[in-house]
Amino acid sequence: MQPKFCARCGHALEMRAVEDHRLRPACPACGYIVYQNPLIAAGVIAERGDGKIVLVLRGENPGKGLCGFPSGFMEIDETVQAAAQRECLEETGLTIELGDLLGVWSYHHEYKQSSGVLVLYAARVVGGEPRPGSDSVAAKFFALDEIPIEQLAFTTHREALARWAKARGR
Ligand SMILES: [Zn+2]
């Protein structure tokens, strides 16, 4: 979403070519320039001892009513690994140990005109019972062949799952 007003002084912003010649919202009153950068999200494909994977039914857009792996935006004061663990705990009630990095994806949400970077890890569930939490209306374990692929909200999650399964010879 393009900001319309200066966050520093409240004046209306205008588009201006700054030092790198890219048009950016800038404040003609105080000189403040808005740099718009992708948000970073982190999440996990978390596996239980019996090989089942936890999915959340999403309660918020994007993808409301569809499924996804536990994931969400990093806070300013945490590492990407801590964000992945925290999001899993918040959305599923499960504590995890992180494993391999599955991948890093760029994505765009056209309707919000926003973009981000998603970092997904493999993980092992070490505690807790699945329960719904923030942004999720349910959390449930699925065997790989039970996962409703067409119900996964994001292509990034589908690709990550394919990578996860291939790495495990499944
Ligand atoms: Zn200003």
Side-chain angles (χ1 to χ4, degrees):
M1 192 75 81
Q2 203 78 264
K4 291 188 170 57
F5 298 97
C6 179
R8 208 155 69 179
C9 77
H11 197 280
L13 296 170
E14 59 184 32
M15 296 303 285
R16 194 201 308 160
V18 294
E19 71 277 6
D20 55 1
H21 307 296
R22 189 181 168 114
L23 281 175
R24 300 182 191 277
C27 180
C30 77
Y32 183 67
I33 298 165
V34 181
Y35 290 90
Q36 296 174 289
N37 303 109
L39 292 166
I40 299 173
V44 291
I45 295 183
E47 183 184 15
R48 198 166 66 174
D50 63 0
K52 293 190 174 184
I53 298 166
V54 70
L55 279 181
V56 298
L57 181 61
R58 299 178 58 83
E60 302 292 334
N61 273 320
K64 186 175 180 177
L66 297 173
C67 292
F69 299 114
S71 61
F73 294 119
M74 279 179 73
E75 297 293 347
I76 200 77
D77 60 352
E78 67 186 353
T79 63
V80 64
Q81 292 92 346
Q85 289 175 304
R86 176 184 52 75
E87 286 291 341
C88 186
L89 181 61
E90 285 179 4
E91 294 188 351
T92 70
L94 300 168
T95 53
I96 53 171
E97 259 172 25
L98 289 186
D100 296 342
L101 177 67
L102 287 169
V104 177
W105 290 264
S106 291
Y107 67 86
H108 294 265
H109 288 312
E110 294 289 343
Y111 77 99
K112 279 204 286 191
Q113 296 180 319
S114 69
S115 73
V117 174
L118 175 66
V119 181
L120 286 177
Y121 292 92
R124 199 166 64 85
V125 174
V126 294
E129 287 299 322
R131 54 136 183 83
S134 60
D135 302 346
S136 66
V137 294
K140 196 174 164 222
F141 281 97
F142 291 85
L144 185 59
D145 60 4
E146 298 168 346
I147 291 178
I149 301 290
E150 71 288 348
Q151 292 292 308
L152 287 177
F154 308 114
T155 53
T156 48
H157 289 202
R158 285 188 213 122
E159 286 180 24
L161 180 63
R163 241 178 241 190
W164 182 94
K166 191 178 175 196
R168 282 152 189 81
R170 298 204 216 158

